[in-house]
Amino acid sequence: MSGQWQEQVSLKPYNTFGIDVAARYFTDVHNDVEVRQALADAKHRQVPVLVIGGGSNLLLTADVQALVMRMASRGVRILADDGQRVIVEAEAGEPWHPFVQWSLAQGLAGLENLSLIPGTVGAAPMQNIGAYGVEIKDVFAGLTALDRQTGELREFTLEECQFAYRDSVFKQHPGRWLILRVRFALSHVMQAHLDYGPVRQRLSEQGIGQPTAQNVSDAICSIRREKLPDPVELGNAGSFFKNPVVAAVLADRIRLQYPGLVAYPQADGQVKLAAGWLIEQAGWKGHREGDAGVHRLQSLVLVNYGQASGLQLHQLAQKIQADILERFDVRLEMEPNLY
Ligand SMILES: Cc1cc2nc3c(=O)[nH]c(=O)nc-3n(C[C@H](O)[C@H](O)[C@H](O)COP(=O)(O)OP(=O)(O)OC[C@H]3O[C@@H](n4cnc5c(N)ncnc54)[C@H](O)[C@@H]3O)c2cc1C
């Protein structure tokens, strides 16, 4: 039996919304042995387990009657380097942004557009994190996960992860797979992705015509710092809703009433709409109910001004969802994981 479990631990420091709920039990796990031990102990004590990383994609609506197991494993290694392509492996508990910076310091490109995303390496495949035109699937080389049903280790290929927009096989089967370590295919030569948002413009303002991967990362960090609230100052979980993908006929119908509709045609004929734009058109930008609110500059970001509960934030989210459905006939799906 593990003696490492703490009881009745406030999760406020462990979720970026800063929601003050308690975990019945809490433990950090640093390696595979500790992971297996904690899971075995929990099974023996008939306590459910919630695995977390950095808590940057969670909405906690009540005390967690479980063992909250925080991934604290560390380690980054280069597995192969053929002079062009480099396979790097990182442990699940590695904080994401420092890992990106480490890869850039090695002269390796591939992760630069994913700079400054909070959280851990192990959670990154969960929703196929993405930013500025790149998703983790674009640099993915495999991962090792523990099957919590059988206790067996399993290697996942790109296809087996079933990555899609903010989705994966891991997200589809919550609680089944515990991701232990992830491998990335990086490169000594950058293939620049500069056409999403103001990245190219920011670089040219700085007089950089031939950017390095570090230049791209720096530009994206500065854009993100301007655009997104820092969870240390204002609790949030980044984008709260996914951008909805709808039938082209529905997009056309909305455009009749809102000629400025922000819409991106997809390969399958459907159309991706900007959730933030819909929310802004509906008048929610800057809306506040107690300490739960919609950010005053970013309609896609729900914020905790201090003492909001997860339930209050969830209720606000549900009101927004109902309003967007009524106005536009569009269903908004939440991005953070609700507990
Ligand atoms: C300011 C801000 C900006 C953000 N920007 C972006 C962005 O640009 N793009 C983007 O995609 N996301 C973004 N996010 C969301 C978030 O950072 C990512 O989803 C991140 O990958 C979550 O990592 P985490 O370690 O904090 O996961 P957590 O919030 O701790 O967990 C998320 C989910 O993954 C599960 N989980 C965690 N670790 C493991 C593991 N090792 N094995 C199995 N399951 C696990 C948890 O049970 C939970 O269901 C942003 C969040 C914030 C606060």
Side-chain angles (χ1 to χ4, degrees), residues 16 50-58 71 92 117-120 122-124 126-127 129-131 166 177-179 224 228-229 231 236-238 335 337 339:
T16 59
L50 171 61
V51 178
I52 64 165
S56 62
N57 210 15
L58 302 179
M71 298 303 291
I117 297 179
T120 53
M126 284 294 292
Q127 68 159 10
I129 58 168
R166 298 296 183 273
W177 303 104
L178 195 158
I179 297 168
R224 288 182 69 104
L228 285 170
N236 75 90
E335 197 181 294
N337 300 272
Y339 293 101

Side-chain angles (χ1 to χ4, degrees), residues 146-259:
L146 181 70
D147 184 344
R148 287 176 53 187
Q149 279 176 11
T150 66
E152 283 169 9
L153 287 186
R154 159 116 183 245
E155 301 298 326
F156 281 82
T157 63
L158 177 64
E159 292 70 31
E160 288 166 341
C161 292
Q162 297 172 27
F163 287 128
Y165 167 61
R166 298 296 183 273
D167 202 11
S168 71
V169 71
F170 314 106
K171 185 145 189 182
Q172 289 299 320
H173 298 93
R176 168 94 193 256
W177 303 104
L178 195 158
I179 297 168
L180 293 170
R181 54 194 70 88
V182 187
R183 291 174 290 285
F184 301 89
L186 306 181
S187 174
H188 286 292
V189 184
M190 176 174 67
Q191 274 200 313
H193 300 276
L194 307 178
D195 293 325
Y196 196 100
V199 182
R200 192 184 292 280
Q201 189 193 331
R202 178 62 53 99
L203 286 162
S204 78
E205 280 163 11
Q206 294 169 344
I208 301 172
Q210 299 279 321
T212 62
Q214 186 68 60
N215 294 148
V216 175
S217 169
D218 292 345
I220 286 175
C221 287
S222 73
I223 295 166
R224 288 182 69 104
R225 285 196 182 100
E226 286 166 16
K227 205 179 120 192
L228 285 170
D230 180 349
V232 174
E233 287 157 18
L234 188 60
N236 75 90
S239 302
F240 196 89
F241 299 103
K242 292 185 186 183
N243 288 321
V245 179
V246 303
V249 283
L250 176 55
D252 290 342
R253 212 165 68 215
I254 299 171
R255 197 177 285 108
L256 282 178
Q257 208 185 338
Y258 298 87

Side-chain angles (χ1 to χ4, degrees), residues 29-94:
V29 285
H30 301 89
N31 51 51
D32 293 13
V33 174
E34 288 186 10
V35 166
R36 283 184 182 277
Q37 185 65 52
L39 289 175
D41 290 349
K43 193 171 178 188
H44 182 74
R45 290 164 72 163
Q46 297 186 316
V47 174
V49 175
L50 171 61
V51 178
I52 64 165
S56 62
N57 210 15
L58 302 179
L59 180 58
L60 301 169
T61 54
D63 288 344
V64 182
Q65 301 300 335
L67 168 67
V68 172
M69 194 167 109
R70 186 170 67 136
M71 298 303 291
S73 50
R74 294 285 193 277
V76 177
R77 56 200 76 89
I78 292 176
L79 297 183
D81 183 347
D82 67 7
Q84 268 191 323
R85 196 166 175 264
V86 182
I87 305 296
V88 172
E89 182 176 72
E91 296 295 320
E94 280 289 339

